[in-house]
Amino acid sequence: MGVVAWLKSLFVLQLLIGFVFVVSGLIINFIQLCTCVLWPFNKQLYRKINTRLSYSLWSQLVMLLEWWSSTECTLYTDQATVDKFGKEHVIIILNHNYEIDFLCGWTMCERYGVLGSSKVLAKHELLKVPLIGWTWYFLEIVFCKRKWEEDRETVFSGLNRLRDYPECMWFLLYCEGTRFTENKHQISMQVAESKGLPKLKYHLLPRTKGFTTTMQCLKGTVKAVYDVTLNFKDKQNPTLLGIVNGKKYKADMSIRRFPVEEIPDDEKECAIWLHKLYQEKDALQEHYEKEGRYPGPTIKPKRRVWTLLNFLFWATLLLSPLINFAWDVFVSGSPLLIIGFMIFLVVASVAVRRLIGVTEVKKTGSSYGNIEAKKEN
């Protein structure tokens, strides 16, 4: 193990990075709360401010991927498609196989200037998660309970509200509804068989309601659908904890652009189009399994320095007083202060670990196979 790798593995450094993320996130959430007074008077100003505040938080995670772990991201697409990145409202359809698939998506958003304005159709439970859910709330993220009878009004109103969003918006959809596991895949394919749909080898059966509703509500706003299929070299199974430990991964992303004019307006036809898309995604994964790459030309977008500068700003602002305080505590010789500070460190480490735990595949649930899941499709 080299010196740099050893330093990245040190718990104290990881804890300091976590401290910067958590405390800066709380500060950002407080500022976001204060901006709510702008909404009745100038909704677009509120949105522009919150886009940049959200960027300041999420770019710290992107910094971990790009600068701390030095993970590489290669795009398999054509230059004409790349030239449109960051210049139009789009819907992103991404496979949901890995703990850091969202982070790979975010690094592409950052490199093309749309990280702060990126959106997602998120599960309602995340609204209660500090920093993540709170920031998304101020960013007008659409939350759903995955029960259409309860979600209908919330989803329609939330999506319609985004029609006049002033920043270029990438709206991410995980149409599979949950992360891929072998058990979920078996149940999902049973559902596919019962509905007479072609079975998929590398994906779960897509839930069409979220996609067709998003297309319906954002028609006239979004210009295209980007189909993104993610995989990792050498059958790597990356985790956020691995990123925190400085482990380097190599991500490959196949990106295809579909103008909205090519996608049927009719809900049933649109659902059929989505199922066909996932059959094509499955074929792409099959190709990757055999060849170790996707077909087509490759492009490696350069990482930008802004994520690193943003983190260094927050680290300078927050770590200097923390280090001074820690020094004063230990030189004071007070057992009470020292014990209190150690308890604070333990609580902080547990909080950071719980935030990381939100991304872990083994802790994600699925309703595949139950009555509600069947109703949603």
Side-chain angles (χ1 to χ4, degrees):
M1 180 184 293
V3 176
V4 175
W6 175 75
L7 287 173
K8 290 179 179 180
S9 67
L10 290 178
F11 175 73
V12 64
L13 288 182
Q14 297 173 4
L15 183 59
L16 290 176
I17 292 174
F19 173 82
V20 172
F21 177 74
V22 171
V23 177
S24 65
L26 293 174
I27 293 173
I28 289 171
N29 285 162
F30 176 74
I31 298 174
Q32 288 180 305
L33 179 63
C34 295
T35 64
C36 289
V37 299
L38 295 173
W39 181 267
F41 308 103
N42 195 329
K43 181 173 65 174
Q44 303 297 36
L45 177 61
Y46 165 90
R47 285 169 161 172
K48 290 181 178 180
I49 292 174
N50 276 277
T51 292
R52 284 144 187 83
L53 289 172
S54 299
Y55 175 88
S56 188
L57 183 60
W58 299 141
S59 65
Q60 294 182 49
L61 296 180
V62 174
M63 183 280 300
L64 285 177
L65 184 79
E66 295 183 335
W67 295 92
W68 185 257
S69 80
S70 299
T71 290
E72 299 176 357
C73 291
T74 301
L75 307 184
Y76 287 77
T77 190
D78 57 89
Q79 189 61 48
T81 297
V82 172
D83 289 342
K84 293 181 171 62
F85 288 176
K87 299 176 182 178
E88 58 183 358
H89 295 301
V90 299
I91 295 172
I92 307 287
I93 297 177
L94 179 63
N95 56 317
H96 205 5
N97 294 54
Y98 305 99
E99 289 184 9
I100 67 165
D101 47 25
F102 76 97
L103 201 49
C104 292
W106 276 0
T107 192
M108 288 301 106
C109 289
E110 199 288 322
R111 294 183 191 194
Y112 293 101
V114 294
L115 176 59
S117 58
S118 61
K119 309 295 180 186
V120 66
L121 191 61
K123 58 184 180 181
H124 191 267
E125 292 84 353
L126 289 176
L127 182 59
K128 303 175 184 177
V129 178
L131 306 184
I132 298 174
W134 298 350
T135 304
W136 275 354
Y137 174 81
F138 294 115
L139 203 57
E140 301 174 76
I141 294 298
V142 182
F143 293 94
C144 59
K145 298 178 180 178
R146 298 179 180 176
K147 297 181 180 179
W148 184 241
E149 292 77 9
E150 299 181 24
D151 289 332
R152 182 189 301 272
E153 184 176 347
T154 301
V155 171
F156 269 101
S157 62
L159 290 172
N160 285 324
R161 191 166 55 241
L162 296 175
R163 291 177 62 88
D164 63 343
Y165 206 79
E167 310 278 343
C168 280
M169 174 178 61
W170 284 9
F171 195 101
L172 173 64
L173 285 177
Y174 290 117
C175 293
E176 294 167 89
T178 184
R179 284 197 181 96
F180 183 99
T181 66
E182 288 300 329
N183 181 57
K184 296 173 187 177
H185 181 252
Q186 291 177 9
I187 298 173
S188 178
M189 292 306 97
Q190 290 173 7
V191 175
E193 185 175 5
S194 68
K195 296 187 175 188
L197 294 170
K199 291 186 177 181
L200 304 174
K201 187 175 180 181
Y202 302 98
H203 297 86
L204 305 179
L205 190 69
R207 300 182 178 186
T208 61
K209 182 62 72 174
F211 176 71
T212 57
T213 301
T214 303
M215 287 292 296
Q216 178 183 347
C217 292
L218 296 183
K219 184 179 179 180
T221 299
V222 297
K223 301 299 182 183
V225 171
Y226 292 171
D227 171 51
V228 182
T229 308
L230 172 68
N231 221 319
F232 289 85
K233 292 289 189 185
D234 305 319
K235 299 186 183 298
Q236 292 174 308
N237 187 21
T239 64
L240 186 55
L241 193 57
I243 295 295
V244 172
N245 286 326
K247 186 173 181 180
K248 182 177 180 178
Y249 301 105
K250 294 182 178 180
D252 288 337
M253 306 174 75
S254 170
I255 302 178
R256 300 182 297 162
R257 181 182 184 274
F258 298 91
V260 292
E261 295 80 12
E262 297 180 3
I263 303 172
D265 292 330
D266 179 76
E267 183 176 354
K268 290 184 178 179
E269 292 296 321
C270 187
I272 293 173
W273 182 91
L274 182 64
H275 282 296
K276 182 181 178 182
L277 181 74
Y278 266 80
Q279 293 164 33
E280 295 172 357
K281 288 172 75 70
D282 225 44
L284 279 172
Q285 286 287 52
E286 183 73 26
H287 185 279
Y288 194 94
E289 286 289 318
K290 294 179 179 178
E291 305 294 335
R293 70 186 309 278
Y294 293 113
T298 61
I299 295 174
K300 287 191 176 183
K302 295 181 179 180
R303 61 184 179 182
R304 306 195 305 173
V305 73
W306 303 116
T307 59
L308 183 60
L309 293 178
N310 175 75
F311 176 78
L312 291 176
F313 163 76
W314 283 111
T316 302
L317 181 67
L318 299 175
L319 291 184
S320 296
L322 176 67
I323 294 173
N324 289 334
F325 176 73
W327 174 255
D328 292 340
V329 167
F330 284 103
V331 299
S332 70
S334 169
L336 185 62
L337 285 177
I338 294 175
I339 292 174
F341 186 72
M342 295 303 293
I343 293 175
F344 165 76
L345 292 179
V346 171
V347 172
S349 63
V350 171
V352 171
R353 186 62 186 84
R354 286 180 65 87
L355 282 175
I356 293 175
V358 172
T359 70
E360 292 179 348
V361 172
K362 63 185 179 181
K363 293 185 179 180
T364 59
S366 172
S367 58
Y368 268 106
N370 66 24
I371 297 175
E372 293 297 341
K374 293 179 181 179
K375 284 183 179 179
E376 289 175 8
N377 281 307

